[in-house]
Amino acid sequence: MDLLDDIPDSTPGLPVLTVSELNRMARRALESQLPLLWVEGEVSNFMRAASGHWYFSLKDASAQVRCVMFRGRNQFADFTPANGDHVEIRALPSLYEARGEFQLGAEAIRRAGAGRLYETFLKLKAKLDAEGLFDPVKKRALPRFPRVLGIVTSPQAAALHDVLTALSRRMPGLPVILYPTPVQGAGAGAQIAAAIRTAGARAECDVLLVCRGGGSLEDLWAFNGEAVVRAIAASPMPVVSGVGHETDFTLADFAADLRAPTPTAAAELASPARQELLQQLGHLARQLQHHLANRQHSEMQRLDYLARRLVHPAEQLRRRQTDLHQLAQRLRQASGTRLTTEHLRIARLNQRLVTPIHVIQREQQRLDALNMRARRAVQGGFGQRQLNLARLASSLDHLNPEGVLARGYSIVQLENGAVVQNAAALDAGDKIDIRFHRGQARAKVESTTQD
């Protein structure tokens, strides 16, 4: 006897699943029960596939988990992780059905600690903003032609070389004063703030550049210090912030009077372009020369015109006497012409003058003519209306039922008053009313005949 025959079947209705069905159910259960979350750990076994997807493990001292970050997600990452990097990933727990392996589907990745630093950054930013240190109204305009430029940065920083290169290209003769300070590491924030305060106390420059090259959030953290922000806000001269790259933002950027995306851009914003100024100067010189030439030509023409108008007083007196004589002749001619015109107008008015009796006769003739036209109109309209009335009376007689009855016809009605038009509507024994031209009679139907 087989030993399995002795084992009772306690679940006779339990279905049998395939491995694929089991893994699919496990994946759905995981994804429905575990939400999207942040996981911290050390990267190991990192591999970039030909498809662009990232495959790696995330581990700590006692456990590890497989992770995948597809190309559509990792293309937005700020860096490519390497084995040994301590990172934080935002991921959705799931199950890879083909191998039955538990894994994390990463949607975002950042260096470990960056989230906490960013949270600290936001809190400090809100606090300082509430105090008005970032108020745009307080921002000052940079001088167009600074006499001296101050730079707060490290002497060994690449940012200093970029700034000096840009200044030598744009304005080689502009004096520069360096206020050296570390820009990274422990205590760098306090030293940067001290350098800014030193520049303000010495008052040696017109514009102050606070700059350093790009880096991670940790590398730029010194420029997020409260002391640095307050020193920039209290600076007596305008401050230009050129920290990091175009995508990097620090609290020093918000406190500065002007934020530049790079140290080179900060130097370009704070200094005038010598070549552009020379071009503008040359353009203005050409405009001035052209204006002077036009003015000289205009004044020479005006001088010639005045010279032609210059006349001897005796000649002017003779011309005035001639003009006076001509005006006297025109006055005499105008007086004679006006007198003749008035005589003619009076004669025309005398001809048009009519006595009242003539007016009355003319109006009487007009009234008689209107009276005659009125009588003719009344007579013609009365005759036409009589003819219309006769035609309407004749039509009314033709349509009058009494006239039809007078010619020997009659109207047959049922007891309810309905007019009988067809013998089929009557049955033997029905009572009917017959209306004649003179009076009416009641009858009883004995029989009917159809046409």
Side-chain angles (χ1 to χ4, degrees), residues 277-292:
L277 293 176
L278 291 177
Q279 292 177 356
Q280 293 178 7
L281 185 60
H283 178 67
L284 292 175
R286 289 189 295 271
Q287 284 187 329
L288 180 59
Q289 184 178 4
H290 181 69
H291 178 72
L292 290 176

Side-chain angles (χ1 to χ4, degrees), residues 38 41-43 46 48 54 56 58 69 73-90 108-115 215-218:
W38 283 96
E42 179 184 335
V43 177
F46 180 82
R48 182 199 293 269
W54 293 352
F56 57 94
L58 208 59
M69 193 171 189
R73 297 290 186 178
N74 64 42
Q75 63 181 348
F76 299 106
D78 296 333
F79 68 102
T80 300
N83 292 330
D85 287 351
H86 201 63
V87 300
E88 297 173 353
I89 63 172
R90 188 179 67 210
I109 186 170
R110 66 190 182 194
R111 298 186 186 276
S216 64
L217 182 60
E218 295 88 345

Side-chain angles (χ1 to χ4, degrees), residues 28-43:
R28 291 174 179 174
L30 280 172
E31 293 178 354
S32 62
Q33 295 298 321
L34 294 179
L36 190 68
L37 42 78
W38 283 96
V39 181
E40 178 182 357
E42 179 184 335
V43 177

Side-chain angles (χ1 to χ4, degrees), residues 1 10 47 87 151 181 204 268 296 350 393 396-397 406 438:
M1 179 181 295
S10 59
M47 182 187 68
V87 300
I151 304 176
T181 177
E204 300 168 319
E268 293 175 349
Q296 183 180 11
N350 288 330
L396 185 60
D397 290 338
R438 300 293 184 186

Side-chain angles (χ1 to χ4, degrees), residues 52-172:
H53 307 327
W54 293 352
Y55 297 95
F56 57 94
S57 295
L58 208 59
K59 66 180 183 177
D60 57 16
S62 58
Q64 68 177 359
V65 62
R66 292 291 299 168
C67 304
V68 59
M69 193 171 189
F70 296 113
R71 182 179 60 182
R73 297 290 186 178
N74 64 42
Q75 63 181 348
F76 299 106
D78 296 333
F79 68 102
T80 300
N83 292 330
D85 287 351
H86 201 63
V87 300
E88 297 173 353
I89 63 172
R90 188 179 67 210
L92 181 68
S94 183
L95 185 80
Y96 182 47
E97 296 182 21
R99 290 198 296 267
E101 293 181 353
F102 175 73
Q103 69 176 13
L104 298 179
E107 295 189 356
I109 186 170
R110 66 190 182 194
R111 298 186 186 276
R116 291 186 291 274
L117 286 178
Y118 186 65
E119 183 177 354
T120 304
F121 171 88
L122 293 179
K123 290 181 179 179
L124 183 57
K125 179 177 180 294
K127 171 189 172 183
L128 299 177
D129 191 14
E131 295 182 17
L133 297 182
F134 304 151
D135 190 354
V137 178
K138 298 180 180 179
K139 306 299 181 184
R140 295 163 292 187
L142 304 183
R144 187 177 181 185
F145 301 105
R147 293 170 298 174
V148 180
L149 193 65
I151 304 176
V152 175
T153 191
S154 171
Q156 292 79 29
L160 178 60
H161 177 267
D162 296 340
V163 170
L164 295 179
T165 301
L167 292 177
S168 64
R169 182 184 72 251
R170 291 175 61 85
M171 184 58 68

Side-chain angles (χ1 to χ4, degrees), residues 221-442:
W221 191 251
F223 293 89
N224 290 321
E226 184 174 352
V228 174
V229 174
R230 295 190 182 278
I232 291 175
S235 173
M237 73 279 294
V239 178
V240 180
S241 172
V243 179
H245 297 306
E246 187 170 358
T247 57
D248 299 325
F249 277 90
T250 64
L251 295 182
D253 296 329
F254 295 102
D257 296 282
L258 185 63
R259 185 250 175 187
T262 61
T264 300
E268 293 175 349
L269 291 173
S271 63
R274 180 175 180 272
Q275 190 62 32
E276 294 179 4
L277 293 176
L278 291 177
Q279 292 177 356
Q280 293 178 7
L281 185 60
H283 178 67
L284 292 175
R286 289 189 295 271
Q287 284 187 329
L288 180 59
Q289 184 178 4
H290 181 69
H291 178 72
L292 290 176
N294 290 340
R295 179 66 181 272
Q296 183 180 11
H297 181 70
S298 176
E299 293 299 328
M300 290 177 63
Q301 287 184 334
R302 180 171 175 270
L303 183 60
D304 293 340
Y305 173 71
L306 293 176
R308 288 194 299 270
R309 292 184 60 190
L310 187 60
V311 182
H312 194 275
E315 178 65 19
Q316 290 185 355
L317 181 60
R318 188 186 63 78
R319 292 179 180 177
R320 296 293 184 273
Q321 289 177 346
T322 303
D323 293 341
L324 183 60
H325 180 67
Q326 292 177 352
L327 289 174
Q329 289 182 347
R330 291 173 60 187
L331 180 59
R332 288 193 296 269
Q333 293 175 358
S335 299
T337 303
R338 180 63 180 274
L339 184 60
T340 303
T341 301
E342 292 299 326
H343 283 307
L344 292 174
R345 190 172 69 87
I346 292 173
R348 286 196 297 271
L349 291 176
N350 288 330
Q351 293 176 0
R352 294 174 58 188
L353 186 62
V354 181
T355 60
I357 189 64
H358 292 159
V359 175
I360 293 174
Q361 290 176 355
R362 186 170 61 247
E363 292 300 324
Q364 184 64 46
Q365 292 175 357
R366 181 170 170 273
L367 182 60
D368 294 341
L370 292 175
N371 192 12
M372 181 63 70
R373 290 174 59 189
R375 285 198 300 271
R376 291 176 180 174
V378 170
Q379 292 176 357
F382 182 73
Q384 184 65 32
R385 282 170 175 74
Q386 282 184 329
L387 292 176
N388 291 339
L389 182 59
R391 285 196 300 270
L392 292 174
S394 176
S395 299
L396 185 60
D397 290 338
H398 288 298
L399 298 175
N400 190 357
E402 295 295 336
V404 177
L405 295 176
R407 291 197 296 271
Y409 293 95
S410 61
I411 299 175
V412 179
Q413 294 177 302
L414 298 175
E415 290 183 321
N416 59 5
V419 176
V420 179
Q421 296 179 344
N422 190 349
L426 298 175
D427 296 324
D430 287 347
K431 294 180 179 181
I432 58 175
D433 292 329
I434 303 174
R435 182 180 176 183
F436 305 98
H437 180 59
R438 300 293 184 186
Q440 58 185 11
R442 172 162 286 197

